[in-house]
Amino acid sequence: MAVIHEENIPEVRTKLPVIIRDEVFMKNMMLTSKRTSESSSFNTAVPGDLLIPQKLILRTMQEVIREKGASLLRYYPSNGLEVLRKHIAKQMGMHGCTMNPDEIIITDGALQALTIALKSVTKAGDVVAVDSPCVFSVLEVMTHLELKVIEIPVHYRSGFDIEYFRTACKENNIQALVVTPNFHNPTGIIMKDEVKKEILNIAETHQLCIIENDMYSDLYFEEQRPRSIKS
């Protein structure tokens, strides 16, 4: 067996082109890459520090504390502040979703909302469908509730493998579908409108509930906001 000594290995260097960066470029680069107390995370749906109006938030908090005082320390209604529920209902109405504020529940986060929704329509041992890939914590909630899971592939063109879902519904007693139709996490795909309508038709045929996560739709860059399945 031949032995190759380290000193005999030729050194290979890749020649990279020289990029000229002006002062404006360097200033913007330093601004966008400025280190903060917390490193940037790409696995959570949170805005960067530069996008958060910290002074405005602080000033608003101070105004609310002065106005509300000790009442802030008391319990709010279990379904959430009425003013906030009315505002959400109004905003949803602007996007084709007619809702009564009394039908809205304010939760501490998306996972609590998912847990409440699943508990409302399923019991331990039931079968639920979920788009795949999905956020891992969604599967954790389903495991905690002792639900059986069927993963429906996300289609790279239409946003959802509708034929796979149709077959799964025929062969299984699926109680609910958990789906993110717009700017799907983690793929970023937007489901086509015709697929959304077909999902609704299949759900009505098999009497299953749709738990729709539409939290990303306001991130659109086109002229029109993507429609939700409900709308």
Side-chain angles (χ1 to χ4, degrees):
M1 182 175 66
V3 179
I4 301 176
H5 296 284
E6 237 179 83
E7 58 270 16
N8 295 329
I9 299 176
E11 184 178 357
V12 178
R13 293 184 178 180
T14 303
K15 292 184 178 181
L16 299 176
V18 177
I19 301 176
I20 301 176
R21 299 183 174 91
D22 57 23
E23 293 182 3
V24 175
F25 176 89
M26 294 304 296
K27 181 180 179 181
N28 292 337
M29 178 64 75
M30 292 298 294
L31 182 64
T32 56
S33 62
K34 182 180 179 182
R35 294 185 179 276
T36 59
S37 57
E38 296 183 4
S39 58
S40 298
S41 176
F42 291 97
N43 67 337
T44 54
V46 294
D49 291 349
L50 293 175
L51 299 177
I52 299 176
Q54 298 182 34
K55 291 183 179 180
L56 176 61
I57 293 175
L58 177 60
R59 185 167 63 251
T60 303
M61 290 175 63
Q62 291 172 339
E63 292 174 358
V64 171
I65 292 173
R66 282 195 297 267
E67 180 182 347
K68 300 294 184 180
S71 64
L72 289 173
L73 304 177
R74 302 190 183 101
Y75 286 109
Y76 279 87
S78 58
N79 58 346
L81 193 64
E82 183 180 7
V83 175
L84 177 57
R85 288 187 283 111
K86 286 183 177 180
H87 181 77
I88 292 175
K90 180 180 179 181
Q91 183 180 24
M92 293 184 68
M94 295 169 58
H95 303 301
C97 297
T98 303
M99 291 201 69
N100 189 312
D102 293 334
E103 298 176 316
I104 298 174
I105 299 176
I106 306 300
T107 66
D108 290 333
L111 291 183
Q112 186 189 36
L114 176 62
T115 301
I116 293 173
L118 284 172
K119 280 187 173 182
S120 300
V121 299
T122 65
K123 61 182 183 299
D126 281 348
V127 180
V128 295
V130 61
D131 47 12
S132 178
C134 69
V135 179
F136 183 70
S137 53
V138 170
L139 298 177
E140 287 184 318
V141 169
M142 295 176 178
T143 301
H144 177 72
L145 297 178
E146 300 181 5
L147 299 171
K148 299 176 182 179
V149 180
I150 295 179
E151 298 185 29
I152 310 299
V154 172
H155 195 276
Y156 73 100
R157 285 184 178 173
S158 65
F160 193 78
D161 194 331
I162 195 68
E163 294 305 322
Y164 192 102
F165 178 55
R166 193 192 313 276
T167 302
C169 289
K170 290 179 180 178
E171 298 178 353
N172 302 273
N173 185 21
I174 298 176
Q175 297 297 312
L177 167 67
V178 179
V179 63
T180 304
N182 299 321
F183 302 107
H184 173 266
N185 187 0
T187 66
I189 293 174
I190 300 178
M191 189 183 297
K192 292 186 178 298
D193 286 347
E194 53 266 30
V195 175
K196 296 174 185 176
K197 292 178 182 178
E198 192 58 28
I199 287 177
L200 186 59
N201 291 334
I202 294 173
E204 290 177 345
T205 300
H206 294 276
Q207 294 296 297
L208 63 89
C209 297
I210 300 175
I211 301 175
E212 181 178 13
N213 177 16
D214 194 34
M215 65 177 292
Y216 302 112
S217 290
D218 286 327
L219 300 177
Y220 69 99
F221 290 95
E222 303 295 332
E223 294 182 0
Q224 189 175 1
R225 183 183 192 268
R227 296 191 64 179
S228 63
I229 296 175
K230 181 176 176 57
S231 65

